[in-house]
Amino acid sequence: MNNTQYICDTNIWVKICLGKLINNLFEKYPGTSFVDFVENEIVKWNSSDDKFQNIATEFSAFKSEKFHVIYFKDLDEITKSLIKRDLKEYFGVNIDLVDNKHKKIENLGEQASLIYAYHLDIPYIQSEDNNFFDQSFISEKFEDIKIISWSHIISRIIPDDMKRIKLNRAIEEQQEVMNKRKIKFKEGQEMEVKLAQLQKRYSNR
């Protein structure tokens, strides 16, 4: 863990995969790692039956070879207690009760990345979640942790403006498709629940 300089957030990993830039990321940013809560978010793409499944499969393929995951269970007891305390104090998260493997918990990946980085002396977080990291209490309390944006990362990977603009546009288009499929899938799940409720109601008559 001593060589970890960057913690990568879910949103950056998604863009890196869509842009086929995995090797480029680790070439430009050696010492990039992930926290376990971010891994839990990423592996959910395994349930996808389309091309976006590679967001999860590539993560598993490159794990250990290119990066490692920081697991809470592997930390020393003092660090664990400090992380637990701060997640509870700043974000109301009880780490003993949290299960983010199946249910999406808003900003948990960002929250864990920030607190892990703070207590493990990791200076940088790669993220584009400005709404979270730009909160005044975060920028004041965790001022020594620097946020590296997607625009900064992609500029280092692809210095050529035209190539970068073209790739960014292609990534955004793929994200739009992915988001539409996500909405459609959620609507389908909600419809199944409603149909099950109707079937139960009529079977009880």
Side-chain angles (χ1 to χ4, degrees):
M1 200 177 302
N2 292 333
N3 66 340
T4 296
Q5 292 295 306
Y6 311 91
I7 289 181
C8 185
D9 198 8
T10 304
N11 48 49
I12 297 297
W13 178 254
V14 169
K15 286 180 177 290
I16 287 293
C17 286
L18 295 180
K20 303 186 187 306
L21 298 170
I22 295 175
N23 286 317
N24 305 78
L25 174 69
F26 297 111
E27 179 185 338
K28 295 295 184 181
Y29 296 93
T32 293
S33 296
F34 298 79
V35 303
D36 42 11
F37 289 102
V38 168
E39 180 183 40
N40 289 343
E41 294 178 354
I42 291 171
V43 297
K44 290 175 185 175
W45 268 275
N46 268 323
S47 61
S48 177
D49 59 356
D50 53 31
K51 65 177 182 178
F52 300 115
Q53 190 179 50
N54 79 300
I55 293 169
T57 56
E58 296 279 25
F59 187 89
S60 298
F62 282 91
K63 183 178 174 181
S64 299
E65 177 191 343
K66 293 286 188 180
F67 63 85
H68 72 271
V69 177
I70 303 170
Y71 292 103
F72 179 80
K73 63 181 177 61
D74 295 333
L75 302 175
D76 64 80
E77 293 304 318
I78 293 176
T79 304
K80 282 182 183 179
S81 65
L82 292 172
I83 288 173
K84 287 173 68 172
R85 180 200 67 190
D86 284 357
L87 280 172
K88 179 69 174 177
E89 178 179 347
Y90 294 114
F91 305 114
V93 173
N94 187 335
I95 201 169
D96 294 323
L97 302 178
V98 163
D99 177 9
N100 198 38
K101 291 183 179 179
H102 305 293
K103 183 178 180 182
K104 169 68 176 175
I105 300 174
E106 192 70 25
N107 290 328
L108 183 57
E110 289 84 358
Q111 293 164 1
S113 293
L114 181 64
I115 301 300
Y116 279 40
Y118 181 72
H119 288 292
L120 297 174
D121 295 322
I122 299 170
Y124 303 103
I125 294 176
Q126 301 160 333
S127 179
E128 64 167 3
D129 194 336
N130 297 330
N131 290 334
F132 175 77
F133 287 106
D134 285 348
Q135 296 178 78
S136 58
F137 90 90
I138 289 178
S139 58
E140 292 169 7
K141 171 64 180 175
F142 305 98
E143 61 181 351
D144 291 336
I145 298 174
K146 307 304 179 187
I147 308 304
I148 301 180
S149 66
W150 169 248
S151 60
H152 181 90
I153 293 170
I154 193 67
S155 293
R156 280 197 66 190
I157 292 175
I158 305 178
D160 184 276
D161 289 342
M162 295 306 297
K163 290 181 179 178
R164 185 172 65 253
I165 291 170
K166 183 178 179 180
L167 181 60
N168 260 328
R169 187 180 299 120
I171 291 172
E172 289 172 2
E173 289 173 354
Q174 290 183 79
Q175 285 188 295
E176 287 180 11
V177 172
M178 185 168 59
N179 290 335
K180 287 178 181 177
R181 291 185 183 181
K182 183 178 178 181
I183 292 171
K184 187 175 180 180
F185 177 74
K186 185 178 179 180
E187 289 174 345
Q189 284 185 316
E190 291 173 350
M191 181 60 69
E192 287 181 7
V193 170
K194 290 179 181 178
L195 289 173
Q197 289 172 341
L198 283 172
Q199 186 177 20
K200 183 178 179 180
R201 183 186 305 169
Y202 284 107
S203 64
N204 290 336
R205 288 186 174 182

